[in-house]
């Protein structure tokens, strides 16, 4: 059974550790969603390139990321690829940074898919009108299609943000001091697993719920600015 | 009057277009002169819209040639298409205004990005053109706030702002409520009277009769009959034309 007084005392005594972990989790997720969106946008654009090998490369990237577990990707990056790159460039990369890069590369593939479906939802007539006005295909994408596509894609991108907050818990396995790691560390010394993990779960929930609320406000705002009657 | 491709704005030679196995255009020879208003009529599926869309290469011809001011543009490289297309404005049945841009930005975007006009010049020109079609009060409106007829008038202004040599209209009034057809046709009529070269696919027979210099009747992917409106409407030679006109008039 849940020992509520213990839960309360863990929270009171250990809240700095939880907050620190939650802070790292949020930091990972925010950086991932920002840079992941940019990466996804870039990949979505490159996929429409007329250079075939570029298309293949982007498709292969997306297929690989979607077809393999995030944990395996992260292990590959953190213990394989990234230390080599850091060595070549003669720079130091912390585990946190490497994990963040792994998350960004993972999220970029999903964002690219989300943005692609946004682009596909835009009526072909928009591109035709742009073409007859003398816009190049790049200009048409930039000024006409993408602004509309991103607006369509925004709710799905918000869901991706929430998914990243939760999935970043996998970084526990690498030893990044994010929320799950901190909670497990505390639980393995106090042996109150249920109570400690409930606190961690609540914090995750607070984060994801807050994000979903902010997003729904944003969506409503955008719809109000929307020009259709 | 014999016409050659060199004194025409746009011409086609044996233009063919297939969609898969379906032959939509079966060898079209067409010359449109500067200042000429050509109205293309015919039953649906006859290839009218495909013809227009082949002229600005929205559809890639299967065979034959498209000539713009005597130059063969049929195989224009993708990179050079914008340069060719901006000389030919197009007004669509479904308007295709950019919903994320205000009316003024719909009109000024391409003059600025493509022609390199300054924002000030582009906006002044947009205001002038909006004034001309009676929509200056919609300068700052969003497309979603406009009626169909207003949208189409803005779409015409947007095309005009690029100073095209020729304007194509692909069934410009077919998506409009009946009470809004007149306001769009009035704008088109004024353009024609101002000397604009126009090719119009339309079911508006009165417009064709009043405004067209030449009426083309298309059926089954060929131009069955063409001539001045009095001739096509009054003394059509072809039974298919007579049959079509009986149904629509």
């Amino acid at each position: 059974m849940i020992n509520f007084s213990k839960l309360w005392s863990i929270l009171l005594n250990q809240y700095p550790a939880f907050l620190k972990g939650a802070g790292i989790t949020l930091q990972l997720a925010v950086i991932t969603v920002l840079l992941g969106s940019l990466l996804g946008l870039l990949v979505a654009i490159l996929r429409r390139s007329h250079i075939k090998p570029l298309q293949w490369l982007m498709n292969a990237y997306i297929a690989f990321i979607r077809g393999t577990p995030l944990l395996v990707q992260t292990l590959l990056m953190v213990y394989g690829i990234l230390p080599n790159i850091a060595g070549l460039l003669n720079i130091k990369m912390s585990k946190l940074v490497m994990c963040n890069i792994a998350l960004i590369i993972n999220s970029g593939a999903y964002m690219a898919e989300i943005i692609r479906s946004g682009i596909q939802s835009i009526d072909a007539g928009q591109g035709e009108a742009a073409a007859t006005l003398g816009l190049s295909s790049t200009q048409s994408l930039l000024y006409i299609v993408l602004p509309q596509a991103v607006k369509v894609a925004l709710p799905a991108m918000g869901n991706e943000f929430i998914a990243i907050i939760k999935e970043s818990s996998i970084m526990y396995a690498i030893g990044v001091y994010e929320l799950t790691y901190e909670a497990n560390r505390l639980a393995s010394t106090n042996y109150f697993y249920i109570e400690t993990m409930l606190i961690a779960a609540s914090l995750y929930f607070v984060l994801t719920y807050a994000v979903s609320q902010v997003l729904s406000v944003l969506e409503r705002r955008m719809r109000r600015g929307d020009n259709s009657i | 009057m014999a016409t050659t491709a060199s004194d025409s704005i746009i011409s086609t030679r044996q233009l063919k277009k297939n969609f898969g196995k379906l032959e939509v255009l079966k060898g079209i020879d067409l010359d449109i002169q500067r200042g000429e208003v050509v109205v293309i009529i015919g039953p649906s599926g006859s290839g009218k819209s495909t013809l227009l869309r082949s002229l600005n290469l929205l559809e890639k011809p299967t065979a034959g040639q498209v000539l713009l001011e005597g130059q063969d543009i049929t195989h224009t490289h993708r990179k050079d298409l914008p340069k060719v297309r901006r000389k030919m404005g197009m007004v669509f049945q479904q308007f295709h205004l950019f919903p994320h841009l205000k009316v003024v930005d719909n009109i000024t975007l391409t003059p600025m990005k493509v022609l390199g006009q300054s924002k000030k010049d582009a906006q002044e020109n947009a205001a002038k053109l909006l004034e001309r079609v009676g929509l200056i009060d919609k300068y700052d409106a969003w497309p979603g706030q406009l009626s169909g007829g207003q949208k189409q008038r803005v779409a015409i202004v947007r095309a005009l702002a690029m100073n095209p040599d020729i304007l194509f209209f692909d069934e410009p009034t077919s998506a409009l409520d009946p009470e809004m057809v007149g306001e769009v046709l009035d704008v088109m009529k004024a353009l024609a009277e101002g000397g604009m070269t126009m090719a119009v696919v339309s079911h508006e027979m009165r417009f064709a009769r009043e405004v067209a210099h030449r009426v083309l009747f298309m059926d089954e992917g060929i131009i069955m009959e063409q001539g001045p409106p009095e001739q096509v409407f009054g003394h059509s030679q072809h039974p298919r034309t007579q049959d079509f006109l009986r149904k629509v008039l």
Side-chain angles (χ1 to χ4, degrees), chain B residues 129-140:
Chain B
L129 290 168
L130 282 172
E131 185 85 61
R132 240 167 76 186
V133 301
L135 287 176
I136 189 66
D137 57 320
K138 301 298 180 190
Y139 184 88
D140 269 322

Side-chain angles (χ1 to χ4, degrees), chain A residues 50 123-137 139 143-145 147-148 151 225-229, chain B residues 53 56 58 78 82 85-86 88-90 92 96-101 109-110 113-114 142-145 158-159 162:
Chain A
H50 295 270
D123 186 273
Q126 292 287 308
E128 289 186 351
T132 61
L133 287 163
L135 290 179
S136 70
S137 50
Q139 287 175 318
Y143 300 124
I144 306 302
V145 178
Q148 299 182 58
K151 194 168 163 182
D226 203 345
N227 29 58
S228 49
I229 17 172
Chain B
R53 294 167 56 84
N56 57 19
L58 281 182
R78 196 176 45 78
R85 281 184 178 141
R86 72 188 192 205
M88 304 179 268
M90 181 126 175
F92 298 87
H96 298 323
L97 292 183
F98 306 131
H100 62 300
L101 299 176
L109 177 77
T110 47
K113 300 291 178 196
V114 178
W142 293 97
Q145 297 166 325
R158 183 176 67 174
M162 290 298 289

Side-chain angles (χ1 to χ4, degrees), chain B residues 182-211:
Chain B
E183 65 193 60
V184 171
L185 291 181
D186 286 346
V187 168
M188 292 168 62
K189 202 169 163 184
L191 279 176
E193 283 161 1
M196 174 60 79
T197 315
M198 295 163 51
V200 184
V201 168
S202 182
H203 296 291
E204 296 294 330
M205 295 304 151
R206 232 185 65 199
F207 175 82
R209 208 190 281 254
E210 289 172 12
V211 181

Side-chain angles (χ1 to χ4, degrees), chain B residues 131-188:
Chain B
E131 185 85 61
R132 240 167 76 186
V133 301
L135 287 176
I136 189 66
D137 57 320
K138 301 298 180 190
Y139 184 88
D140 269 322
W142 293 97
Q145 297 166 325
L146 306 180
S147 71
Q150 291 171 333
K151 278 182 191 162
Q152 196 59 301
R153 283 185 281 160
V154 170
I156 293 172
V157 165
R158 183 176 67 174
L160 284 175
M162 290 298 289
N163 276 318
D165 292 335
I166 182 167
L167 261 186
F168 301 136
F169 293 82
D170 189 4
E171 305 206 23
T173 57
S174 298
L176 298 177
D177 290 336
E179 75 268 24
M180 293 173 184
V181 170
E183 65 193 60
V184 171
L185 291 181
D186 286 346
V187 168
M188 292 168 62

Side-chain angles (χ1 to χ4, degrees), chain B:
Chain B
M1 183 175 67
T3 59
T4 63
S6 58
D7 48 55
S8 305
I9 286 191
I10 196 147
S11 316
T12 65
R13 292 290 173 265
Q14 279 306 302
L15 183 72
K16 292 186 177 135
K17 175 67 187 176
N18 298 355
F19 290 114
K21 284 203 169 126
L22 186 69
E23 283 185 280
V24 182
L25 300 177
K26 297 176 185 167
I28 303 280
D29 287 306
L30 176 68
D31 290 286
I32 299 176
Q33 307 299 116
R34 197 170 292 277
E36 195 180 17
V37 177
V38 174
V39 174
I40 306 167
I41 61 172
S44 57
S46 57
K48 309 180 297 281
S49 290
T50 305
L51 174 58
L52 271 197
R53 294 167 56 84
S54 302
L55 295 179
N56 57 19
L57 303 169
L58 281 182
E59 304 292 352
K60 201 164 169 31
T62 309
Q65 289 175 298
V66 181
L67 304 144
L68 179 66
E69 287 159 346
Q71 298 270 335
D72 188 346
I73 59 166
T74 323
H75 303 290
T76 307
H77 189 269
R78 196 176 45 78
K79 280 205 180 92
D80 300 319
L81 272 179
K83 235 177 275 168
V84 170
R85 281 184 178 141
R86 72 188 192 205
K87 298 182 179 175
M88 304 179 268
M90 181 126 175
V91 174
F92 298 87
Q93 182 179 356
Q94 300 293 342
F95 331 124
H96 298 323
L97 292 183
F98 306 131
H100 62 300
L101 299 176
K102 285 183 172 184
V103 164
V104 53
D105 299 320
N106 261 276
I107 300 166
T108 58
L109 177 77
T110 47
M112 283 161 57
K113 300 291 178 196
V114 178
L115 303 180
Q117 286 180 17
S118 72
K119 190 170 185 176
K120 187 169 159 284
D121 287 350
Q123 289 184 340
E124 275 174 18
N125 192 39
K128 219 183 297 165
L129 290 168
L130 282 172
E131 185 85 61
R132 240 167 76 186
V133 301
L135 287 176
I136 189 66
D137 57 320
K138 301 298 180 190
Y139 184 88
D140 269 322
W142 293 97
Q145 297 166 325
L146 306 180
S147 71
Q150 291 171 333
K151 278 182 191 162
Q152 196 59 301
R153 283 185 281 160
V154 170
I156 293 172
V157 165
R158 183 176 67 174
L160 284 175
M162 290 298 289
N163 276 318
D165 292 335
I166 182 167
L167 261 186
F168 301 136
F169 293 82
D170 189 4
E171 305 206 23
T173 57
S174 298
L176 298 177
D177 290 336
E179 75 268 24
M180 293 173 184
V181 170
E183 65 193 60
V184 171
L185 291 181
D186 286 346
V187 168
M188 292 168 62
K189 202 169 163 184
L191 279 176
E193 283 161 1
M196 174 60 79
T197 315
M198 295 163 51
V200 184
V201 168
S202 182
H203 296 291
E204 296 294 330
M205 295 304 151
R206 232 185 65 199
F207 175 82
R209 208 190 281 254
E210 289 172 12
V211 181
H213 299 124
R214 179 158 49 125
V215 174
L216 302 184
F217 173 71
M218 277 186 77
D219 197 11
E220 295 182 348
I222 58 169
I223 298 173
M224 285 269 178
E225 185 166 0
Q226 60 176 310
E230 315 82 68
Q231 183 194 314
V232 174
F233 288 113
H235 321 280
S236 66
Q237 308 294 312
H238 206 285
R240 295 297 279 266
T241 320
Q242 291 161 6
D243 190 44
F244 174 74
L245 290 173
R246 233 190 334 270
K247 280 180 193 149
V248 296
L249 287 179

Side-chain angles (χ1 to χ4, degrees), chain A residues 150-169:
Chain A
V150 166
K151 194 168 163 182
V152 173
L154 222 56
M157 289 167 86
N159 287 339
E160 173 67 9
F161 188 11
I162 290 168
I164 294 165
I165 291 175
K166 294 181 291 177
E167 280 175 8
S168 67
S169 67

